[in-house]
Amino acid sequence: MKRAARIVNGSGVEIRFGRELGRGGEGSVFEIEGRSDLVAKLYHKPLSKEKQDKIEAMVRLKTERLLRFTVWPVDVMRDAGRRVVGFLMPCLSGQEIHKLYGPKTRLAEFPQAGYSFLVHTAANLARAFAAVHEAGHVVGDINHSNFYVTDQATILMLDCDSFQVQSGGTRFGCDVGIPMYMPPELQGVTSFRGVVRSRNHDNFGLAVFIFMLLFMGRHPFAGKYSGTGDMPIERAIREFRFAYGSSASARQMQPPPGALPLQVLPPAVQALFERAFAQESMTRRPDAQEWIAALQDMGGVLMPCSRNSAHQYPSQAKGCPWCAMEAATGGLLFRPADSSQRMASQAGTMGGTGSGTAADSAAGFQLHQIWAQIQRVPTPAPARTLPEPSTLAAEPSAPVAAYLRRRKWRGAFSLVSLLSAAGVWIFLPGFWMITAGGLVGVNLLLLIAGVGRRSLRSARSEERDRLRERWNELSLRYAEASRLAPFAGKLRELEQAKREYMDLEVFKATELRRLEAKQRSGQMQIHLRRHRIEQAQLDGIGPGRKASLALFGIETALEVETHRLARVPGFGPANTRMLLAWRDRIERRFVFDPTVGQIPQAEILALERTVEARTRDLERRLSLGASELTRLSAGIRSRQEAALKEAGGTARALAQAELDVNAL
């Protein structure tokens, strides 16, 4: 509504408004000049007579206990016509409860909150419900935006004007509600006007939020459904499909992967959850006092993890569940108590040291001189073709030469004996028998004298084969010794080091641009995070669907991503396209400001240290390059010479052996 010219409190004192603190669907909240303890809620539109009566009744019904846990109306605001146009209430402090039970937002908003803090908060949430119930009222509109948590784990409820309020014989109803937190008997209700809420209805919502606090933001009815089709949370609630309960498998449900098992909690707490979500307890769910007692006992049996001081868990658990969950998901659930101090100390240490650029560090290093030395190292000679041993000049070995001389002598003696026998035959024909016998005997003796040839040829053939095998081995050894790959590889490595050294400034500039892009991305994230889904006007996406999105960690434009929306049960393509288009419109309105969120000095120092370290390493490698290449070249030549020396003797011996075999 348009603000009236003069607005007064219940005593007729004019109220002067300060800056606007927040704006919702039905009203805005303002500071009050001169009052730091109170704020004013001013409705946008004129209120019905029933709503005005409700606010006046709530002001009369305020108590110290209610004000301890709620931002209950403490005074009315009236316009010139004495109509109620709003009310005064205590200042709100803390953060929305979903920022505590969601692991990612908890690490940012409640960095020192351990599991004991979550248990204590759950107990205080039950105390807040107890205060409302003891006063005769019902919360009714239970949702994640109506509960705030302080850094002391205390709870404050807001939007109390939507509660179901009992004033004597008059009941002022609660006309709103989100199905995500409604009990099975209220699922499917299209209008809550005229519906009488009960404490037992509240007890269901209380159990849901306690579960989400203890189970890292998991909804008790969001699990894996083994049946056909989708299983939206609202349907799962209506059909009593508690995903963690003892009857979950019979109802085709099981906890999602990586979730905390119900059995980790104390048996008394397990039993309360079973009762809260079972069909049998629709008329008698655990009330706030039962939860307070069980959670107090649970807080007293938490024990620290021996491996991670940030982890606390119930003593009856077989081991630390948080260690297992963090190992399985790779995410952080609780921040170590001293992490912020340790990070600050590291940043201070980095800030206290200096570093220079690549050019400054190269004062005593002259790349062109170093590279000239590298280029002067001679490349080893490649392997040459070894001469075939058969082409070498050779002399017969001594045994073979002696045998050849004896064979020549035997041939001459045989010829002389033949000629002598022929003369006797011609000139002394009467002695032909004696002559023939003598000729046969002499040649027989000569034949016996030549028997050693076979054994000598066999021995020389074996020696030739052995030397041929040795020659082949030496040829391979020479080829291996002549491999230039190590030398060429080192040269390529040095050439790469030279290119990297020359590109160091380019590398540094590229990294600085990456940091600037990170700065831009950070501003974009902040820009997107400012636009909350619950405050957006989106056709077809009402409070229920917005609550479903929040349950899966999708609360701002930053989290609106296709793959994340796909995990939300019952969230179809049309709604997905609408949200993506909404995010796109917000992104197009982003304007980068380079003066905001400048690159942290620690990151710049880290980059400079990286460049400095790479500079020193490349200088060292290049400075040693010429000596390493010389060593590799000398090694190749030495191995070549040794192989050639041995191959030369083998080649000569092989040539002689082949000559001997051929001669025999």
Side-chain angles (χ1 to χ4, degrees), residues 226-401:
S226 59
T228 57
D230 293 332
M231 179 54 64
I233 292 176
E234 295 90 337
R235 176 187 166 192
I237 293 174
R238 187 171 62 250
E239 297 175 358
F240 305 95
R241 297 180 186 271
F242 176 34
Y244 298 74
S246 56
S247 62
S249 59
R251 296 181 184 272
Q252 297 180 290
M253 295 291 286
Q254 58 178 307
L260 181 72
L262 183 66
Q263 293 71 26
V264 168
L265 303 186
V269 179
Q270 295 182 43
L272 290 181
F273 280 129
E274 292 278 8
R275 281 179 50 203
F277 304 134
Q279 185 172 1
E280 294 73 24
S281 64
M282 287 178 60
T283 57
R284 181 65 179 86
R285 298 184 178 98
D287 61 22
Q289 293 297 340
E290 291 181 84
W291 281 112
I292 293 169
L295 291 169
Q296 281 182 327
D297 291 343
M298 178 177 173
V301 298
L302 297 180
M303 61 183 296
C305 173
S306 60
R307 291 177 292 178
N308 189 328
S309 60
H311 293 174
Q312 301 165 312
Y313 59 93
S315 57
Q316 73 272 2
K318 296 180 180 179
C320 177
W322 315 124
C323 287
M325 291 171 66
E326 287 183 348
T329 63
L332 187 66
L333 295 175
F334 299 99
R335 190 184 302 281
D338 62 343
S339 62
S340 58
Q341 290 90 337
R342 182 169 61 251
M343 291 169 64
S345 173
Q346 291 173 352
T349 301
M350 292 175 67
T353 60
S355 63
T357 63
D360 294 334
S361 71
F365 177 84
Q366 299 297 325
L367 178 60
H368 67 281
Q369 294 180 2
I370 295 296
W371 193 249
Q373 294 174 9
I374 290 172
Q375 289 182 314
R376 283 197 294 268
V377 178
T379 302
R384 66 174 187 265
T385 303
L386 297 179
E388 177 61 31
S390 60
T391 63
L392 299 178
E395 295 290 336
S397 62
V400 173

Side-chain angles (χ1 to χ4, degrees), residues 22 129 190 198 219 243-244 266 274 302 337 380 383 411 477 490 527 532 538-539 568 589 608 613-614 634 637 642:
F129 272 79
T190 57
S198 70
H219 194 285
Y244 298 74
E274 292 278 8
L302 297 180
R477 178 176 156 189
K490 172 57 68 174
H527 172 72
R532 300 191 62 80
L538 300 167
D539 294 339
V568 181
R589 295 199 298 267
E608 290 180 347
R614 291 187 68 172
R637 288 198 303 272

Side-chain angles (χ1 to χ4, degrees), residues 374 377-382 480-494 621 624-641:
I374 290 172
V377 178
T379 302
E480 182 66 23
S482 300
R483 285 183 62 248
L484 304 183
F487 183 91
K490 172 57 68 174
L491 187 58
R492 286 194 300 271
E493 179 184 323
L494 292 171
R621 289 160 55 190
L624 295 174
S627 61
E628 291 184 347
L629 283 175
T630 300
R631 177 182 58 79
L632 289 170
S633 180
I636 292 173
R637 288 198 303 272
S638 176
R639 290 190 294 274
Q640 283 179 333
E641 291 171 359

Side-chain angles (χ1 to χ4, degrees), residues 416-430:
V416 170
S417 64
L418 180 60
L419 292 174
S420 299
V424 172
W425 178 275
I426 295 171
F427 296 107
L428 297 172

Side-chain angles (χ1 to χ4, degrees), residues 316-640:
Q316 73 272 2
K318 296 180 180 179
C320 177
W322 315 124
C323 287
M325 291 171 66
E326 287 183 348
T329 63
L332 187 66
L333 295 175
F334 299 99
R335 190 184 302 281
D338 62 343
S339 62
S340 58
Q341 290 90 337
R342 182 169 61 251
M343 291 169 64
S345 173
Q346 291 173 352
T349 301
M350 292 175 67
T353 60
S355 63
T357 63
D360 294 334
S361 71
F365 177 84
Q366 299 297 325
L367 178 60
H368 67 281
Q369 294 180 2
I370 295 296
W371 193 249
Q373 294 174 9
I374 290 172
Q375 289 182 314
R376 283 197 294 268
V377 178
T379 302
R384 66 174 187 265
T385 303
L386 297 179
E388 177 61 31
S390 60
T391 63
L392 299 178
E395 295 290 336
S397 62
V400 173
Y403 173 79
L404 292 176
R405 286 195 299 272
R406 290 196 302 272
R407 186 174 64 177
K408 186 177 180 180
W409 174 79
R410 288 196 303 273
F413 190 78
S414 177
L415 180 60
V416 170
S417 64
L418 180 60
L419 292 174
S420 299
V424 172
W425 178 275
I426 295 171
F427 296 107
L428 297 172
F431 297 92
W432 65 271
M433 293 185 62
I434 297 173
T435 301
L439 181 61
V440 171
V442 169
N443 281 281
L444 184 60
L445 290 173
L446 291 174
L447 181 62
I448 293 172
V451 170
R453 169 183 170 277
R454 295 187 184 87
S455 61
L456 182 58
R457 179 183 175 83
S458 176
R460 296 306 290 160
S461 294
E462 291 178 3
E463 179 68 6
R464 179 199 60 187
D465 295 342
R466 184 188 67 80
L467 289 170
R468 171 59 68 180
E469 184 177 351
R470 178 61 177 162
W471 167 257
N472 292 336
E473 292 176 0
L474 288 172
S475 298
L476 293 175
R477 178 176 156 189
Y478 171 73
E480 182 66 23
S482 300
R483 285 183 62 248
L484 304 183
F487 183 91
K490 172 57 68 174
L491 187 58
R492 286 194 300 271
E493 179 184 323
L494 292 171
E495 289 171 345
Q496 177 63 27
K498 176 189 174 186
R499 286 193 294 271
E500 290 183 18
Y501 190 84
M502 296 175 66
D503 291 342
L504 278 173
E505 290 301 326
V506 175
F507 166 78
K508 183 176 179 179
T510 302
E511 288 300 297
L512 283 173
R513 285 196 296 271
R514 182 184 63 81
L515 291 177
E516 291 171 358
K518 182 179 177 182
Q519 177 191 8
R520 177 183 290 271
S521 175
Q523 288 188 29
M524 173 64 83
Q525 290 182 14
I526 293 172
H527 172 72
L528 293 173
R529 196 178 287 120
R530 289 195 184 111
H531 293 78
R532 300 191 62 80
I533 295 175
E534 63 182 12
Q535 298 171 352
Q537 299 297 322
L538 300 167
D539 294 339
I541 302 180
R545 292 195 180 278
K546 290 178 180 179
S548 296
L549 292 170
L551 183 63
F552 285 84
I554 306 172
E555 302 175 48
T556 69
L558 179 64
E559 293 92 31
V560 174
E561 297 171 319
T562 303
H563 70 278
R564 298 187 67 168
L565 294 172
R567 294 199 294 265
V568 181
F571 208 79
N575 290 327
T576 298
R577 287 193 297 271
M578 178 178 294
L579 274 177
L580 292 174
W582 173 68
R583 171 178 170 141
D584 184 63
R585 291 194 299 272
I586 294 171
E587 285 182 345
R588 287 199 296 269
R589 295 199 298 267
F590 170 72
V591 178
F592 175 62
D593 185 353
T595 65
V596 176
Q598 294 182 351
I599 303 171
Q601 185 65 21
E603 294 197 31
I604 295 177
L605 288 174
L607 172 59
E608 290 180 347
R609 286 194 180 87
T610 299
V611 173
E612 177 72 12
R614 291 187 68 172
T615 300
R616 296 304 182 195
D617 179 62
L618 292 170
E619 287 178 356
R620 179 188 59 80
R621 289 160 55 190
L622 288 166
S623 297
L624 295 174
S627 61
E628 291 184 347
L629 283 175
T630 300
R631 177 182 58 79
L632 289 170
S633 180
I636 292 173
R637 288 198 303 272
S638 176
R639 290 190 294 274
Q640 283 179 333

